[in-house]
């Protein structure tokens, strides 16, 4: 006898007749004749949706029994789903989320199983998956119809996830005085081909806060702590950034001239101490004549003595005057100074 089965297109089906042997006291030798040509006791065929139902008959005889026995086999064949998929990008830097979208013959009833390098990554459509390691990935999509038939869509080496470079550098020195604020930065990054430095110094001259050299240097204009960053980029456009602080300490130094010529010619017209590391909000300068009378006072570090007396138009005559300075550094340390400055007038 035969049988009827239901299979998916392309499934392999084994057909084997069953029958009852007559009790003739021996084991007969049977002859088989299949409608598609073979003469074996069973055959394996490929289910074909284009010719469904697939019909096969077999005639079985032992050379004695008349008539021979016949079996009919029916294979009802369901179609395979069809489909394809695409990713929103095929190359990315680790880690990256990539979205896969599938199309199929019956999207309302088909189900989807996604695999990356043969490991399952999801069952939804579309699917967003986070790739956490750098590698090349083959992607498989199994589409299953409501009838239980499946097709696999494979794209070999479809996704490439590139590694990140490793950004790193060191500063020499990492702490420097404002008197010598020149810092050299040595790049020790790995896997990068281009670089952008940010010296953390927005007060620098235009363009002076950044560099694209492999190694860099920077001259800082003010005391403080600066956060220096290096952005490293690989040949594939992947980036890494690292930051390290450097410190410029507010060392103290003061220069006091010993003479000036207040003749309004634009050269050396002002008695003006200069320095670095000075608390300009806590400053006082007094000028005394030779009789000890205070003829000028300033609480502004950037305001010097122009050679006039007590803010009037009267000018101090040529001679030696006493100055007294009260200066604080940026750490609050006091620096008192007393000395002499000479007023020189060319017509006297």
């Amino acid at each position: 006898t035969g049988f009827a089965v239901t299979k998916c297109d392309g499934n392999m089906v084994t057909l084997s007749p069953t029958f009852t042997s007559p009790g003739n006291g021996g084991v007969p030798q049977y002859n088989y004749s299949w409608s598609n040509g073979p003469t074996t006791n069973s055959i394996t065929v490929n289910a074909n949706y284009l010719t469904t139902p697939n019909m096969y008959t077999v005639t079985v005889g032992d050379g004695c029994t008349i008539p021979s026995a016949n079996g009919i086999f029916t294979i009802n064949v369901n179609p395979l789903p069809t489909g394809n998929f695409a990713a929103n990008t095929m190359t990315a830097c680790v880690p990256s989320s990539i979205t896969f979208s599938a199309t199929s013959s019956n999207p309302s009833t088909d189900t989807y199983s996604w695999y990356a390098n043969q490991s399952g990554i999801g069952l939804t459509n579309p699917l967003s998956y986070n790739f956490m390691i750098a590698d090349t990935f083959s992607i498989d999509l199994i589409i299953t119809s409501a009838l239980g038939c499946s097709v696999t869509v494979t794209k070999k080496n479809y996704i490439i996830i590139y590694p990140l470079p490793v950004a790193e550098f060191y500063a020499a020195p990492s702490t420097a005085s404002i008197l010598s604020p020149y810092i050299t930065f040595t790049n020790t990054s790995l896997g990068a081909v281009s670089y952008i430095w940010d010296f953390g110094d927005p007060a620098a001259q235009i363009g002076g806060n950044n560099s694209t050299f492999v190694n860099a240097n920077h001259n800082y204009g003010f005391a403080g702590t600066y956060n220096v960053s290096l952005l490293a980029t690989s040949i594939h456009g992947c980036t890494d950034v690292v930051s390290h602080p450097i410190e410029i300490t507010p060392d103290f130094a003061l220069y006091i001239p010993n003479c000036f010529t207040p003749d309004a010619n634009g050269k050396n017209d002002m008695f003006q101490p200069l320095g670095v590391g000075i608390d300009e909000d806590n400053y006082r300068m007094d000028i005394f004549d030779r009789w000890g009378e205070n003829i000028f006072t300033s609480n502004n570090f950037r305001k010097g003595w122009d050679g006039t007396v007590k803010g009037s138009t009267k000018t101090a005559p040529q001679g030696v005057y006493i100055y007294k300075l009260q200066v604080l550094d940026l750490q609050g340390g006091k620096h008192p100074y007393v000395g002499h400055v000479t007023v020189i007038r060319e017509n006297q």
Side-chain angles (χ1 to χ4, degrees):
T1 60
F3 55 79
V5 294
T6 299
K7 297 291 183 178
C8 296
D9 188 29
N11 285 173
M12 303 304 293
V13 185
T14 297
L15 307 179
S16 181
T18 60
F19 52 86
T20 301
S21 175
N24 59 5
V27 179
Q29 180 68 40
Y30 294 109
N31 300 315
Y32 301 85
S33 178
W34 293 89
S35 57
N36 60 334
T39 58
T40 54
N41 61 345
S42 65
I43 61 172
T44 300
V45 296
N46 197 334
N48 189 344
Y49 175 69
L50 295 178
T51 58
T52 189
N54 303 162
M55 305 291 293
Y56 297 90
T57 60
V58 61
T59 300
V60 181
D62 60 4
C64 297
T65 304
I66 300 176
S68 298
N70 294 312
I72 300 175
F73 297 85
T74 302
I75 305 173
N76 299 301
V77 185
N78 290 326
L80 297 181
T82 59
N84 204 344
F85 69 87
N88 64 331
T89 183
M90 292 184 290
T91 60
C93 301
V94 63
S96 285
S97 177
I98 294 181
T99 299
F100 299 93
S101 299
T103 57
S104 65
S105 46
N106 293 288
S108 61
T109 57
D110 291 338
T111 59
Y112 308 88
S113 299
W114 299 90
Y115 297 83
N117 285 354
Q118 300 183 349
S119 294
I121 60 174
L123 301 173
T124 62
N125 182 41
L127 171 74
S128 292
Y129 182 73
N130 291 320
F131 289 88
M132 304 302 294
I133 61 172
D135 202 351
T136 298
F137 294 88
S138 296
I139 304 299
D140 296 304
L141 170 63
I142 299 177
I143 304 172
T144 303
S145 70
L147 297 174
C149 296
S150 298
V151 66
T152 300
V153 182
T154 298
K155 296 189 178 182
K156 294 289 188 182
N157 302 324
Y158 184 58
I159 300 296
I160 301 176
I161 304 297
Y162 294 114
L164 299 182
V166 178
E168 192 54 87
F169 69 91
Y170 65 87
S174 58
T175 300
S177 162
I178 189 63
L179 299 179
S180 182
Y182 187 83
I183 308 296
T184 297
F185 301 98
T186 300
N187 190 336
T188 59
S189 301
L190 299 174
V193 295
S194 64
Y195 308 93
I196 298 177
W197 294 90
D198 184 323
F199 302 118
D201 186 12
Q205 295 180 353
I206 295 176
N209 187 43
N210 300 103
S211 173
T212 57
F213 289 112
V214 175
N215 301 301
N217 53 69
H218 188 68
N219 199 55
Y220 289 88
F222 300 95
T225 299
Y226 298 85
N227 197 41
V228 182
S229 298
L230 172 62
L231 176 70
T233 303
S234 74
I235 193 173
H236 301 294
C238 302
T239 60
D240 187 33
V241 65
V242 64
S243 298
H244 296 303
I246 63 102
E247 183 180 10
I248 304 299
T249 58
D251 284 1
F252 177 86
L254 188 68
Y255 165 74
I256 305 172
N258 58 13
C259 65
F260 72 112
T261 57
D263 52 12
N265 69 350
K267 299 179 181 179
N268 198 26
D269 290 331
M270 191 81 63
F271 174 64
Q272 175 65 68
L274 300 174
V276 294
I278 294 169
D279 182 357
E280 297 187 15
D281 294 329
N282 291 283
Y283 171 82
R284 181 182 175 96
M285 178 173 70
D286 293 290
I287 305 295
F288 301 90
D289 62 18
R290 55 184 165 175
W291 294 282
E293 184 176 0
N294 189 322
I295 61 173
F296 177 80
T297 298
S298 173
N299 291 309
N300 185 344
F301 179 70
R302 301 185 182 277
K303 180 183 178 182
W305 180 37
D306 62 0
T308 60
V309 176
K310 296 183 177 181
S312 67
T313 58
K314 180 181 177 181
T315 59
Q318 179 170 295
V320 177
Y321 294 82
I322 299 171
Y323 63 78
K324 182 179 181 182
L325 302 178
Q326 299 178 39
V327 184
L328 269 66
D329 61 34
L330 294 176
Q331 284 77 40
K334 296 181 179 180
H335 301 270
Y337 295 86
V338 177
H340 299 85
V341 59
T342 301
V343 175
I344 299 176
R345 299 188 183 278
E346 293 183 357
N347 58 356
Q348 294 186 16

